Amino acid sequence: MKIKLFLLILISIGAFYLAADYLFIQFTRNTVREFAKNTASQSVSLYKYKNKADAVIEVREVEVLAKKPELLSAFNAEKWEAAVSESPYDISKITGDNLNAIKEIESNVQIELNVINKMYDRTEAIFVVDKYGNVVAKNLDGTLKNMNFSKEVLMSAALQGAADRDIVKMLDKTYRITAAPIYINGKIAGAYCSANMINSETAKEVVTGLFDESIKNAGDFYFGFFDRKTLLGSTMPTELHENFKKFISEHQEMIEKIDSGDSKRHDTVINIKGEKFYASIAKHPSLSESNDVFYLTLVSMDKTLGPVSSKQGTLILISIFILILGLITIVVLDEQFNRPVNKFMENMLEIINGNVKYRFNNEATGVEGNLNQNANMMIATLLGEKIPDKEKDNDTNE
C-alpha cells in the first residue's frame, strides 16, 4: 500500500513539475532568449542609421568651420602652394626658403586650430591638408607632420568638393574623421579635418546616445568596435574586453566570413571563456571598400537567462519539498491507520492458531483500542464467557 501511495505521489509531482516547466519556465526562457537576440540584432541596425544621421550633422558643422575667416587668413594658400611646388606630394624633401615658408604657415594655422579646438571643435584631432593631401598643421602638436593623405578616399572626395565622414587609420590608430573642403578665392585650397579616435569612450557614447535604459539593462548588453587584429573599444568590463581581444585573434575565419558574406549583419552565438553570448556583427559603413572596421553588440546568454534558471531551481526545490512532505504523510498515515490494523492481524493469528485464552490489550487507545475491545467481546461471546468489565461499564454508561 505504501509503495502504491508513494508511486502515486511521485507521478503527481513529476506531472506537476513537467507542466510548470513547460508552461512557465520554458516559455519564459524562449521569450527572454528571443528578446536578447532581437536586442542584439536591432541594436546593430539602429547604430547604422544613427551613424548616418550623426555624419550629416558633423559634416555640416565641419563645413562651417572650414569657412572661418581666421583660418582662411592663417592658411596662405598661394604662398603654401608656391613653397611645396618642388615636391607637392612629399614636403619632407623641401629645403631652404620654401621650408621656412612652410614652417611659418604651419605655425599660423596651428595657432588658429588650437583656438578652434578650444572654442568650437572639441574633437581629439583637428588638422588641415593642402590640395595635394599634405598635412599643413594639426592642433596642439606636430604628430602628423609631413604626412600625406591623398590616397585616402575621404580626403580625395573632400579635395574634390564633397564633405563626408569616414573611418581612417592614422598613426596606427583608428579614427572617425570628418573632412570638408576649404575654399579660398573660389578654389579648393585644401580640407579641414576633424577626427575622433575609435575607443571605449566612443563605444560608451554610442550606448548612451542610442539606446534607452530598457535595452541597456537587458541582461548584460555590450557594444564595441574591432578590426581584423584587435578590439578597438567597447563597453565590456575589463576581463571580458581582454578575453574578446583573444577571441578575435583566434577566430579570424569568423571575421573573413562576415567580411565576405552577402548579409550586412551577421548574427551568431559565440563562446568566450565558457560564457555564451548572442553576437550581432556588421562591417562599419565606409567610403572605402578596403575598410576592415566592424562593430557589434553582445548580450550574455548565461546572465540573461540567469533569473529563469533560478526560477527553475526554485521549482525543483518546491517539487522536492512536496515529495518529502508526501513521504512524511505516508509514514504518518501508516503509523495511525495501517500499523494498528497490522498489529491486530498479528494478534488474530494467536486465536487462529488455537490459543483461545489469548486476549487483546484493552488498554490500547485509538483504532487499535477499538479493534481490541471488539475482538475481546466477540471472543467472550463465542466462548460463552463473561464480558470483560470494561465493556460492561461501557454498556452500562450507554
PDB file of all heavy atoms in Angstrom, residues 348 351 356 359 374-387:
ATOM      1  N   MET A 348      -4.472 -11.646  15.904  1.00  0.00           N
ATOM      2  CA  MET A 348      -5.509 -12.597  15.496  1.00  0.00           C
ATOM      3  C   MET A 348      -4.936 -13.969  15.187  1.00  0.00           C
ATOM      4  O   MET A 348      -5.608 -14.994  15.335  1.00  0.00           O
ATOM      5  CB  MET A 348      -6.244 -12.062  14.262  1.00  0.00           C
ATOM      6  CG  MET A 348      -7.249 -10.964  14.579  1.00  0.00           C
ATOM      7  SD  MET A 348      -8.668 -11.563  15.529  1.00  0.00           S
ATOM      8  CE  MET A 348      -9.450 -12.620  14.334  1.00  0.00           C
ATOM      9  N   ILE A 351      -5.246 -16.416  18.036  1.00  0.00           N
ATOM     10  CA  ILE A 351      -6.564 -17.081  18.156  1.00  0.00           C
ATOM     11  C   ILE A 351      -6.701 -18.146  17.086  1.00  0.00           C
ATOM     12  O   ILE A 351      -7.157 -19.274  17.350  1.00  0.00           O
ATOM     13  CB  ILE A 351      -7.695 -16.049  18.025  1.00  0.00           C
ATOM     14  CG1 ILE A 351      -7.510 -14.888  19.035  1.00  0.00           C
ATOM     15  CG2 ILE A 351      -9.049 -16.705  18.192  1.00  0.00           C
ATOM     16  CD1 ILE A 351      -7.545 -15.326  20.468  1.00  0.00           C
ATOM     17  N   VAL A 356      -7.018 -20.003  22.524  1.00  0.00           N
ATOM     18  CA  VAL A 356      -8.315 -19.399  22.840  1.00  0.00           C
ATOM     19  C   VAL A 356      -8.290 -18.592  24.127  1.00  0.00           C
ATOM     20  O   VAL A 356      -9.229 -17.859  24.427  1.00  0.00           O
ATOM     21  CB  VAL A 356      -9.423 -20.481  22.930  1.00  0.00           C
ATOM     22  CG1 VAL A 356      -9.633 -21.142  21.583  1.00  0.00           C
ATOM     23  CG2 VAL A 356      -9.082 -21.536  23.998  1.00  0.00           C
ATOM     24  N   ARG A 359      -6.026 -12.886  24.887  1.00  0.00           N
ATOM     25  CA  ARG A 359      -6.891 -11.710  24.860  1.00  0.00           C
ATOM     26  C   ARG A 359      -6.099 -10.484  24.382  1.00  0.00           C
ATOM     27  O   ARG A 359      -4.914 -10.338  24.650  1.00  0.00           O
ATOM     28  CB  ARG A 359      -7.494 -11.430  26.253  1.00  0.00           C
ATOM     29  CG  ARG A 359      -8.424 -12.526  26.755  1.00  0.00           C
ATOM     30  CD  ARG A 359      -9.660 -12.626  25.881  1.00  0.00           C
ATOM     31  NE  ARG A 359     -10.573 -13.651  26.329  1.00  0.00           N
ATOM     32  CZ  ARG A 359     -10.543 -14.932  25.957  1.00  0.00           C
ATOM     33  NH1 ARG A 359      -9.617 -15.320  25.077  1.00  0.00           N
ATOM     34  NH2 ARG A 359     -11.408 -15.794  26.415  1.00  0.00           N
ATOM     35  N   ASN A 374     -13.490  -4.772  20.671  1.00  0.00           N
ATOM     36  CA  ASN A 374     -14.484  -5.530  19.903  1.00  0.00           C
ATOM     37  C   ASN A 374     -14.085  -6.987  19.747  1.00  0.00           C
ATOM     38  O   ASN A 374     -14.929  -7.900  19.807  1.00  0.00           O
ATOM     39  CB  ASN A 374     -14.674  -4.897  18.523  1.00  0.00           C
ATOM     40  CG  ASN A 374     -15.348  -3.540  18.608  1.00  0.00           C
ATOM     41  OD1 ASN A 374     -16.103  -3.265  19.553  1.00  0.00           O
ATOM     42  ND2 ASN A 374     -15.079  -2.669  17.635  1.00  0.00           N
ATOM     43  N   ALA A 375     -12.799  -7.222  19.548  1.00  0.00           N
ATOM     44  CA  ALA A 375     -12.328  -8.610  19.404  1.00  0.00           C
ATOM     45  C   ALA A 375     -12.509  -9.380  20.704  1.00  0.00           C
ATOM     46  O   ALA A 375     -12.947 -10.555  20.700  1.00  0.00           O
ATOM     47  CB  ALA A 375     -10.861  -8.604  18.980  1.00  0.00           C
ATOM     48  N   ASN A 376     -12.163  -8.754  21.843  1.00  0.00           N
ATOM     49  CA  ASN A 376     -12.321  -9.418  23.139  1.00  0.00           C
ATOM     50  C   ASN A 376     -13.794  -9.754  23.413  1.00  0.00           C
ATOM     51  O   ASN A 376     -14.124 -10.835  23.935  1.00  0.00           O
ATOM     52  CB  ASN A 376     -11.767  -8.529  24.252  1.00  0.00           C
ATOM     53  CG  ASN A 376     -10.240  -8.514  24.242  1.00  0.00           C
ATOM     54  OD1 ASN A 376      -9.606  -9.450  23.752  1.00  0.00           O
ATOM     55  ND2 ASN A 376      -9.649  -7.453  24.803  1.00  0.00           N
ATOM     56  N   MET A 377     -14.694  -8.829  23.092  1.00  0.00           N
ATOM     57  CA  MET A 377     -16.120  -9.063  23.289  1.00  0.00           C
ATOM     58  C   MET A 377     -16.607 -10.197  22.386  1.00  0.00           C
ATOM     59  O   MET A 377     -17.406 -11.042  22.794  1.00  0.00           O
ATOM     60  CB  MET A 377     -16.911  -7.787  22.982  1.00  0.00           C
ATOM     61  CG  MET A 377     -16.671  -6.668  23.996  1.00  0.00           C
ATOM     62  SD  MET A 377     -17.534  -5.152  23.541  1.00  0.00           S
ATOM     63  CE  MET A 377     -19.223  -5.694  23.671  1.00  0.00           C
ATOM     64  N   MET A 378     -16.115 -10.227  21.166  1.00  0.00           N
ATOM     65  CA  MET A 378     -16.527 -11.292  20.238  1.00  0.00           C
ATOM     66  C   MET A 378     -16.068 -12.657  20.741  1.00  0.00           C
ATOM     67  O   MET A 378     -16.831 -13.642  20.721  1.00  0.00           O
ATOM     68  CB  MET A 378     -15.928 -11.007  18.853  1.00  0.00           C
ATOM     69  CG  MET A 378     -16.287 -12.045  17.814  1.00  0.00           C
ATOM     70  SD  MET A 378     -15.478 -11.728  16.237  1.00  0.00           S
ATOM     71  CE  MET A 378     -13.782 -12.095  16.692  1.00  0.00           C
ATOM     72  N   ILE A 379     -14.810 -12.697  21.220  1.00  0.00           N
ATOM     73  CA  ILE A 379     -14.281 -13.980  21.728  1.00  0.00           C
ATOM     74  C   ILE A 379     -15.063 -14.439  22.948  1.00  0.00           C
ATOM     75  O   ILE A 379     -15.424 -15.620  23.083  1.00  0.00           O
ATOM     76  CB  ILE A 379     -12.782 -13.829  22.066  1.00  0.00           C
ATOM     77  CG1 ILE A 379     -11.980 -13.563  20.784  1.00  0.00           C
ATOM     78  CG2 ILE A 379     -12.255 -15.058  22.777  1.00  0.00           C
ATOM     79  CD1 ILE A 379     -10.551 -13.149  21.040  1.00  0.00           C
ATOM     80  N   ALA A 380     -15.348 -13.484  23.860  1.00  0.00           N
ATOM     81  CA  ALA A 380     -16.092 -13.829  25.083  1.00  0.00           C
ATOM     82  C   ALA A 380     -17.488 -14.346  24.737  1.00  0.00           C
ATOM     83  O   ALA A 380     -17.974 -15.322  25.334  1.00  0.00           O
ATOM     84  CB  ALA A 380     -16.189 -12.610  25.990  1.00  0.00           C
ATOM     85  N   THR A 381     -18.125 -13.714  23.757  1.00  0.00           N
ATOM     86  CA  THR A 381     -19.458 -14.139  23.348  1.00  0.00           C
ATOM     87  C   THR A 381     -19.428 -15.538  22.744  1.00  0.00           C
ATOM     88  O   THR A 381     -20.278 -16.390  23.043  1.00  0.00           O
ATOM     89  CB  THR A 381     -20.033 -13.143  22.329  1.00  0.00           C
ATOM     90  OG1 THR A 381     -20.089 -11.840  22.938  1.00  0.00           O
ATOM     91  CG2 THR A 381     -21.422 -13.558  21.907  1.00  0.00           C
ATOM     92  N   LEU A 382     -18.459 -15.791  21.870  1.00  0.00           N
ATOM     93  CA  LEU A 382     -18.347 -17.093  21.213  1.00  0.00           C
ATOM     94  C   LEU A 382     -18.052 -18.226  22.212  1.00  0.00           C
ATOM     95  O   LEU A 382     -18.529 -19.352  22.052  1.00  0.00           O
ATOM     96  CB  LEU A 382     -17.255 -17.052  20.126  1.00  0.00           C
ATOM     97  CG  LEU A 382     -17.565 -16.175  18.905  1.00  0.00           C
ATOM     98  CD1 LEU A 382     -16.338 -16.088  17.982  1.00  0.00           C
ATOM     99  CD2 LEU A 382     -18.757 -16.752  18.136  1.00  0.00           C
ATOM    100  N   LEU A 383     -17.266 -17.899  23.229  1.00  0.00           N
ATOM    101  CA  LEU A 383     -16.884 -18.916  24.203  1.00  0.00           C
ATOM    102  C   LEU A 383     -17.840 -18.972  25.399  1.00  0.00           C
ATOM    103  O   LEU A 383     -17.662 -19.784  26.311  1.00  0.00           O
ATOM    104  CB  LEU A 383     -15.464 -18.652  24.705  1.00  0.00           C
ATOM    105  CG  LEU A 383     -14.345 -18.752  23.631  1.00  0.00           C
ATOM    106  CD1 LEU A 383     -12.990 -18.417  24.238  1.00  0.00           C
ATOM    107  CD2 LEU A 383     -14.321 -20.160  23.041  1.00  0.00           C
ATOM    108  N   GLY A 384     -18.849 -18.085  25.394  1.00  0.00           N
ATOM    109  CA  GLY A 384     -19.824 -18.070  26.486  1.00  0.00           C
ATOM    110  C   GLY A 384     -19.226 -17.563  27.768  1.00  0.00           C
ATOM    111  O   GLY A 384     -19.704 -17.931  28.853  1.00  0.00           O
ATOM    112  N   GLU A 385     -18.217 -16.739  27.663  1.00  0.00           N
ATOM    113  CA  GLU A 385     -17.571 -16.210  28.860  1.00  0.00           C
ATOM    114  C   GLU A 385     -18.228 -14.902  29.270  1.00  0.00           C
ATOM    115  O   GLU A 385     -18.985 -14.300  28.506  1.00  0.00           O
ATOM    116  CB  GLU A 385     -16.083 -15.971  28.579  1.00  0.00           C
ATOM    117  CG  GLU A 385     -15.316 -17.250  28.286  1.00  0.00           C
ATOM    118  CD  GLU A 385     -13.852 -16.954  27.961  1.00  0.00           C
ATOM    119  OE1 GLU A 385     -13.518 -15.750  27.798  1.00  0.00           O
ATOM    120  OE2 GLU A 385     -13.048 -17.902  27.853  1.00  0.00           O
ATOM    121  N   LYS A 386     -17.881 -14.528  30.459  1.00  0.00           N
ATOM    122  CA  LYS A 386     -18.366 -13.257  30.975  1.00  0.00           C
ATOM    123  C   LYS A 386     -17.684 -12.116  30.204  1.00  0.00           C
ATOM    124  O   LYS A 386     -16.496 -12.129  29.966  1.00  0.00           O
ATOM    125  CB  LYS A 386     -18.029 -13.162  32.463  1.00  0.00           C
ATOM    126  CG  LYS A 386     -18.528 -11.880  33.127  1.00  0.00           C
ATOM    127  CD  LYS A 386     -18.128 -11.885  34.595  1.00  0.00           C
ATOM    128  CE  LYS A 386     -18.588 -10.597  35.258  1.00  0.00           C
ATOM    129  NZ  LYS A 386     -18.181 -10.564  36.697  1.00  0.00           N
ATOM    130  N   ILE A 387     -18.507 -11.133  29.826  1.00  0.00           N
ATOM    131  CA  ILE A 387     -17.955  -9.982  29.095  1.00  0.00           C
ATOM    132  C   ILE A 387     -17.046  -9.198  30.027  1.00  0.00           C
ATOM    133  O   ILE A 387     -17.405  -8.960  31.180  1.00  0.00           O
ATOM    134  CB  ILE A 387     -19.088  -9.080  28.584  1.00  0.00           C
ATOM    135  CG1 ILE A 387     -19.942  -9.857  27.585  1.00  0.00           C
ATOM    136  CG2 ILE A 387     -18.532  -7.812  27.934  1.00  0.00           C
ATOM    137  CD1 ILE A 387     -21.150  -9.100  27.100  1.00  0.00           C
TER     138      ILE A 387
END
